[in-house]
Amino acid sequence: MNVHALLPCVLFCGALYATPAVARDDDDRIVVRLRSYEEVPAVSSGASGLFRARINEAAGTITYELSYQRLQGDVRQSHIHFGQRSVNGGISVFLCQTATNPDPTGGAPTCGASPAAMTGTLTAANIIGPTGQGIAATEFAELIRAIRAGVAYVNVHTNLFPGGEIRGQAGGSDHDDH
């Protein structure tokens, strides 16, 4: 066997192995399932929901769809919060609003009565914080980092469960990259 004849193949195959199979772009797709047992403290409710988002860092946008069903209470608001699993954190951005709980940026769609689905697009202008946790208003990149690190969660608040009736962590086992 001619070892010198194998050298180009070894170099080529090594280069293929060292190159990632999928090049990372600035788009991330996220799917978060919302359940009552994920709330802190846990809530017993038959409600569920789904949050699907696409982060386009280059464009500075997060486009999303939020849906929920079987909520026991009337929807008051929905957010992305900054907080790890099993811990409550501050609000980073509104996903839907009501007259009772308006989005201070005015950019969120109106929450519908359960069952409902809504879509929206988030930009730096929609980020409200939480400043006490190190994310200032308009810090879009900080929210993206928190989502990618798995320290952001989505929840839907109702009049019966003001702290949230359903919740899901954006990251970990609830994070889906397709």
Side-chain angles (χ1 to χ4, degrees):
M1 176 186 271
N2 184 348
V3 175
H4 295 290
L6 291 175
L7 187 57
C9 178
V10 170
L11 292 174
F12 177 73
C13 292
L16 282 178
Y17 182 73
T19 304
V22 178
R24 180 179 168 97
D25 59 15
D26 287 334
D27 280 359
D28 287 322
R29 295 179 198 279
I30 297 165
V31 177
V32 180
R33 288 165 189 78
L34 308 176
R35 302 173 185 96
S36 65
Y37 295 142
E38 298 295 319
E39 278 295 346
V40 177
V43 170
S44 181
S45 168
S48 64
L50 189 65
F51 175 76
R52 293 180 186 265
R54 181 176 183 178
I55 298 170
N56 185 325
E57 196 166 1
T61 61
I62 301 173
T63 55
Y64 68 91
E65 178 183 338
L66 171 67
S67 61
Y68 46 80
Q69 54 278 331
R70 297 185 307 279
L71 291 164
Q72 293 178 10
D74 296 329
V75 179
R76 293 295 189 232
Q77 58 196 321
S78 178
H79 313 103
I80 297 175
H81 292 258
F82 181 43
Q84 65 268 39
R85 188 176 303 278
S86 301
V87 174
N88 289 323
I91 298 168
S92 287
V93 65
F94 273 69
L95 299 173
C96 71
Q97 64 180 329
T98 61
T100 305
N101 297 97
D103 173 1
T105 71
T110 301
C111 303
S114 182
M118 63 223 55
T119 60
T121 301
L122 304 171
T123 66
N126 303 111
I127 311 302
I128 61 172
T131 54
Q133 290 180 262
I135 300 179
T138 74
E139 286 189 331
F140 187 78
E142 290 294 319
L143 177 59
I144 300 305
R145 267 195 291 283
I147 291 169
R148 288 180 176 154
V151 292
Y153 64 90
V154 175
N155 73 347
V156 178
H157 304 258
T158 64
N159 66 322
L160 294 179
F161 301 102
E165 186 166 339
I166 54 176
R167 170 180 167 157
Q169 199 72 23
S173 62
D174 291 333
H175 185 178
D176 193 4
D177 284 337
H178 39 65

